[in-house]
Amino acid sequence: MSQYLLSIYQPDGDIPPPAVLDPIMRDVDAVARDAKAAGVWVFSAGLFPSSTATVLRPEGADVLVTDGPFTEGKEHLGGITVIDVPDLDAALEWSRRFAVALTLPVEVRPVSGSG
């Protein structure tokens, strides 16, 4: 088994109203329950908005600390899920299910040293 990080990207801006968000979260919760039942779910976490980020950047012998995201963009990392599956094909299948439920892009990456 190998672990994969599923990074969920969401648009910057306000959180959608409950009429929009509630059905999405219901669908996401259903996929997460299925992943747990299948024994592939390791953990998930949502993130606070990118405006709450702090970036540390090495500058010679010093480290510059700045508020805000590493890069400015129209999207930011909104949450993560780690799954433990046999291979990339299985990771992609679970990622498809999460992407459809979330209606958002999901980036899939193997976790180094997990397999």
Side-chain angles (χ1 to χ4, degrees), residues 4 8 12 19 35 38-40 56 62 68 78-79 96 98 101 109-110 115:
Y4 288 84
I8 295 94
D12 281 334
V40 302
L56 287 77
D62 292 327
R96 280 184 191 95
F98 276 108
R109 283 197 206 181

Side-chain angles (χ1 to χ4, degrees), residues 4 11 23 29 32-33 35 39 45 49 73 79 90 102 113:
Y4 288 84
D29 289 342
R33 279 193 308 274
L102 288 159

Side-chain angles (χ1 to χ4, degrees), residues 10-113:
Q10 65 187 56
D12 281 334
D14 295 333
I15 295 172
V20 173
L21 189 58
D22 289 351
I24 291 170
M25 293 312 299
R26 182 190 62 239
D27 292 347
V28 170
D29 289 342
V31 176
R33 279 193 308 274
D34 289 350
K36 289 174 186 178
V40 302
W41 183 87
V42 177
F43 74 91
S44 294
L47 301 174
F48 284 100
S50 61
S51 61
T52 65
T54 303
V55 177
L56 287 77
R57 190 180 323 262
E59 300 245 342
D62 292 327
V63 175
L64 177 65
V65 179
T66 58
D67 292 333
F70 176 69
T71 59
E72 295 294 325
K74 294 180 181 179
E75 294 179 332
H76 64 273
L77 183 62
I80 60 169
T81 295
V82 175
I83 57 175
D84 194 6
V85 293
D87 53 32
L88 178 60
D89 289 337
L92 293 175
E93 185 54 39
W94 282 104
S95 299
R96 280 184 191 95
R97 292 187 63 191
F98 276 108
V100 167
L102 288 159
T103 69
L104 293 170
V106 175
E107 178 184 288
V108 180
R109 283 197 206 181
V111 175
S112 179

